[in-house]
Amino acid sequence: MKSVAEISERRYTCKVYDPNKKIPQEAMDQLYDILRNAPSSVNSQPWHFLVLESDEAKELVLPAIFEFNQPRVKDASHVVIFLARNEMPLSYLKEIVDQEDKDQRFPEAGMKEANDKGRQYFVDLNNKTPEQLHKWQDRQIYIALGNLLFAAAALDIDSTPIEGFDPQKLDEIFELKEKGFRSVVVASLGYRSHDDFNATLPKSRLPFKEIFTTL
């Protein structure tokens, strides 16, 4: 069994996928659980995950992907588009706290109300302007992205985080604004091709003393 350090050493950004290799459903189900269980500030879960698995769906999104990234979308097994909610209304916060109650998160009287008030406080704190809310949401979404990339590597699945796309165009393709969402980041998942030059290159990071201070 690989250690977590060994998994992090193995994990890299896939540049060329083998279009003939597909991720088994059992592995995808595990990755769905990883995304669903990702931590977020006050369990706000400000996300939605749009998963493209058919060739037709991947072709549909290509006009929004920068040209150099298009093969990493087209040839991947699955593509995850990380969406954020345009707003965080009280109705959505109530949905969260009601689910927590259903999952038996409140063993004592008054805990549900206190938890709900605390979440509303932090959402309001980061919701003075739409721009502030979006920045706060984006930070939560990148936590979920990091979880996905590491979990995929643990399952010997390759991945590519992608910011090289046109969010406005992608949002238009899927009519996201009308549905209350906006795209934040994209991740491709699949298995590397023998032609992937990046797969055989050594990992390069700054030395320990450059990036750590221990007190």
Side-chain angles (χ1 to χ4, degrees):
M1 182 177 179
K2 298 184 183 72
S3 70
V4 292
E6 288 172 329
I7 294 170
S8 72
E9 181 70 26
R10 178 198 179 279
R11 202 255 139 213
Y12 82 110
T13 296
C14 186
K15 302 295 186 181
V16 184
Y17 285 95
D18 185 338
N20 298 312
K21 292 183 178 180
K22 302 300 180 183
I23 301 172
Q25 188 60 48
E26 180 183 357
M28 282 305 305
D29 288 342
Q30 292 186 64
L31 295 181
Y32 290 147
D33 285 342
I34 292 295
L35 287 172
R36 186 166 174 264
N37 291 328
S40 59
S41 177
V42 293
N43 197 28
S44 56
Q45 305 172 65
W47 45 52
H48 189 85
F49 306 106
L50 177 58
V51 182
L52 313 181
E53 57 181 24
S54 70
D55 292 339
E56 293 78 12
K58 286 178 280 187
E59 285 284 349
L60 182 64
V61 79
L62 288 183
I65 306 297
F66 292 175
E67 185 175 359
F68 65 89
N69 274 326
Q70 288 184 6
R72 296 158 196 167
V73 169
K74 185 177 180 179
D75 295 336
S77 173
H78 290 67
V79 176
V80 182
I81 304 175
F82 292 71
L83 311 181
R85 296 176 177 275
N86 290 330
E87 299 176 346
M88 297 285 285
L90 289 177
S91 59
Y92 182 62
L93 302 184
K94 183 179 185 303
E95 183 180 345
I96 294 174
V97 76
D98 285 348
Q99 183 64 51
E100 290 172 329
D101 193 17
K102 182 179 178 181
D103 292 333
Q104 302 181 358
R105 293 277 299 170
F106 309 122
E108 297 179 11
M111 289 182 66
K112 179 178 180 179
E113 181 180 1
N115 194 73
D116 188 37
K117 287 183 178 179
R119 181 177 297 110
Q120 289 184 37
Y121 171 81
F122 278 100
V123 171
D124 290 342
L125 189 67
N126 291 281
N127 195 16
K128 306 303 181 186
T129 65
E131 292 77 15
Q132 184 189 31
L133 175 65
H134 293 173
K135 288 180 179 180
W136 182 68
Q137 291 173 320
D138 291 356
R139 291 195 293 272
Q140 317 312 313
I141 285 172
Y142 272 80
I143 295 173
L145 172 65
N147 276 19
L148 176 67
L149 299 180
F150 190 84
L155 294 172
D156 292 325
I157 295 170
D158 297 310
S159 61
T160 309
I162 297 174
E163 290 186 320
F165 71 100
D166 184 333
Q168 182 176 350
K169 187 174 292 187
L170 192 152
D171 292 0
E172 290 172 356
I173 290 172
F174 293 105
E175 300 180 340
L176 295 180
K177 184 177 181 181
E178 293 79 1
K179 298 172 183 176
F181 297 102
R182 59 186 176 85
S183 56
V184 177
V185 68
V186 176
S188 293
L189 300 167
Y191 299 100
R192 69 190 72 174
S193 165
H194 293 301
D195 298 327
D196 187 359
F197 69 92
N198 204 32
T200 58
L201 295 177
K203 187 179 286 289
S204 178
R205 297 292 188 269
L206 291 171
F208 184 95
K209 66 179 181 179
E210 292 293 328
I211 57 174
F212 288 95
T213 299
T214 59
L215 303 176

